[in-house]
Amino acid sequence: MNLWNYVRGRGEVLTFLTYQHASLAFQTVLVGTVLAVLIAVAVYRLPLLSSLTLTSSRVALTIPSLALLALLLVPFGLGVVPSFIMLAFFATLPVIGNAIVGLRSVPESVIESARGIGLPRWRILLTVELPIAWPVILTGIRISTQMIVGVAAIVAYVLGPGLGSLIFNGLSRLGGANALEMALTGTILIVLVALVFDALLVLLGRLTIAKGLS
């Protein structure tokens, strides 16, 4: 009941914080996805380089996000910039691996058939390889999105936007009025944002993946 009273009295503020959180996650995942696909396209036909890129992306995921955020404070200060850079960096990593694996899994016979009808290299990539690899890439985007929506909470540590401020403020005031409700509200809204994004990505998959590839 106390939680409902807390939410009901702060609808406008909570809506704004939820929008900030969702917007930050969407933008960083979008940037991360574009970077990841470009990197994958550059390396997937080079076995050694693609293996090194895969290994590096997996190792980079072990970097503590809070530590990276703290390091970014030195050149960029507090606020949106270090928050965006940290989240975009982590958003890129799961997609890189899936994009490389997806592109490398395209059957060579399909590529040879495309060459046989005279398609140039760039058209084979855009109209054959990327569409076939898209289901695997989209899985990476879903993983990245779920991770980023959660990790985005910690940007409150550097005064970044989003729902993390509710969690940080609530935990710092535990025992005080509305402290628990504040932290719980932030957590629940982050989970809801993650569920909405995942549902939208599932819908995107149904609209963009050919039936033979799903």
Side-chain angles (χ1 to χ4, degrees):
M1 189 63 179
N2 288 337
L3 181 62
W4 171 245
N5 289 335
Y6 175 82
V7 171
R8 187 175 58 180
R10 295 166 176 81
E12 188 174 337
V13 172
L14 295 177
T15 300
F16 178 68
L17 291 175
T18 303
Y19 165 77
Q20 279 190 325
H21 199 96
S23 177
L24 181 63
F26 173 80
Q27 292 177 57
T28 52
V29 170
L30 180 61
V31 170
T33 297
V34 172
L35 289 174
V37 171
L38 289 175
I39 292 170
V41 166
V43 305
Y44 80 103
R45 287 192 166 274
L46 306 171
L48 178 59
L49 194 54
S50 62
S51 296
L52 286 173
T53 304
L54 277 170
T55 302
S56 299
S57 66
R58 290 164 183 164
V59 171
L61 277 171
T62 66
I63 299 173
S65 52
L66 193 59
L68 178 58
L69 193 58
L71 290 173
L72 290 171
L73 288 178
V74 178
F76 299 109
L78 298 169
V80 174
V81 175
S83 304
F84 190 96
I85 293 173
M86 184 273 290
L87 291 174
F89 171 77
F90 281 110
T92 305
L93 303 178
V95 187
I96 285 179
N98 279 48
I100 291 174
V101 170
L103 288 168
R104 288 170 64 175
S105 67
V106 177
E108 191 63 32
S109 59
V110 175
I111 298 173
E112 288 300 324
S113 298
R115 287 175 182 158
I117 62 173
L119 291 182
R121 181 72 192 87
W122 66 270
R123 283 198 64 186
I124 294 174
L125 174 66
L126 293 179
T127 63
V128 177
E129 293 176 289
L130 282 175
I132 292 176
W134 174 240
V136 182
I137 296 172
L138 184 59
T139 298
I141 296 172
R142 288 180 66 185
I143 294 169
S144 176
T145 302
Q146 297 302 299
M147 180 181 72
I148 292 305
V149 170
V151 172
I154 71 165
V155 304
Y157 175 73
V158 296
L159 303 182
L163 293 162
S165 58
L166 290 175
I167 299 173
F168 272 66
N169 290 336
L171 293 177
S172 68
R173 294 167 46 192
L174 277 180
N178 292 324
L180 182 59
E181 288 78 9
M182 188 181 297
L184 280 175
T185 299
T187 302
I188 292 169
L189 289 174
I190 286 173
V191 172
L192 290 175
V193 169
L195 290 173
V196 169
F197 272 136
D198 198 55
L200 291 173
L201 288 171
V202 169
L203 178 60
L204 177 64
R206 291 181 178 176
L207 295 173
T208 58
I209 297 174
K211 289 185 179 180
L213 297 176
S214 58

